[in-house]
Amino acid sequence: MRRDFLKLMLGGASLLAIASCSTTDPKFKSYSGPPVTRIDVFKSSRVMTFYSGSTPIRSINFGLGYAPVGNKEYEGDGKTPEGLYYIDRRNPNSRYHLSVGISYPNDADRARAMMQGVQVGSDIFIHGQGPEGRAATKRDWTVGCIAVTDAEIEDIYAMVPDGTPIMIYP
C-alpha cells in the first residue's frame, strides 16, 4: 500500500511539474500543419506565400519599409532587401510583439555596400505591429522590415523554422 501511495504521489508531482512548464501566453502558438519549406515575398503586390514543397499553404498581406520600391542599399534607406535569404533567428521579446529574423545582409549585400562606401545595415525581420505599427497611418511604415498583424506573426513564429529559405522579389 505504501508503494502504491508513493507511485501516486510521484505521478501527481510529475504532472504538476509538466503543467507548470506550460505557458499561458497566447502569442506562443503551436503548429501542426504541413512543414513550411519556403517563403516567397512579392513586394509589389504585398503578398507573402508560405509553401510546403511546391504546395502553397498560406498567403498573408504585409507592409514594408517607408521607401518600398527598390532593393535595400544601405542602413537607413527605408527599403526592404531583395533576393534569397533565410530565417535565421527569432525574438520572443520583440518590441513588435514577436519577430523572426531574415539573414540580411548576405555576402553580396556587404560587398555592394563596401563598394559604395556605405553601411550595409542589419536587423531585417518579419514582425508584428508594436506601438509604431498601431499608430501608423500608412501601410509601409517600417525601416525595411516586413510587417504583419500581431495575430499573423504569432502564426508565422509557430509555423516557420529557422533555416527556411525566403525569396524576396521586387
Side-chain angles (χ1 to χ4, degrees), residues 15 51 68 81 96 102 105 107 111 120 140 148 157 161:
L15 287 174
Y51 291 85
Y96 303 100
I102 297 172
D107 290 341
V120 70
D140 297 323
V148 297
Y157 198 91

Side-chain angles (χ1 to χ4, degrees), residues 57-93:
I57 56 175
R58 181 159 182 194
S59 291
I60 296 175
N61 295 320
F62 58 84
L64 290 170
Y66 60 83
V69 177
N71 190 19
K72 183 161 196 63
E73 295 179 26
Y74 57 89
E75 185 172 9
D77 66 3
K79 295 182 180 181
T80 303
E82 297 170 359
L84 177 61
Y85 299 94
Y86 297 88
I87 300 301
D88 67 348
R89 62 201 182 282
R90 48 196 65 240
N91 183 355
N93 300 310

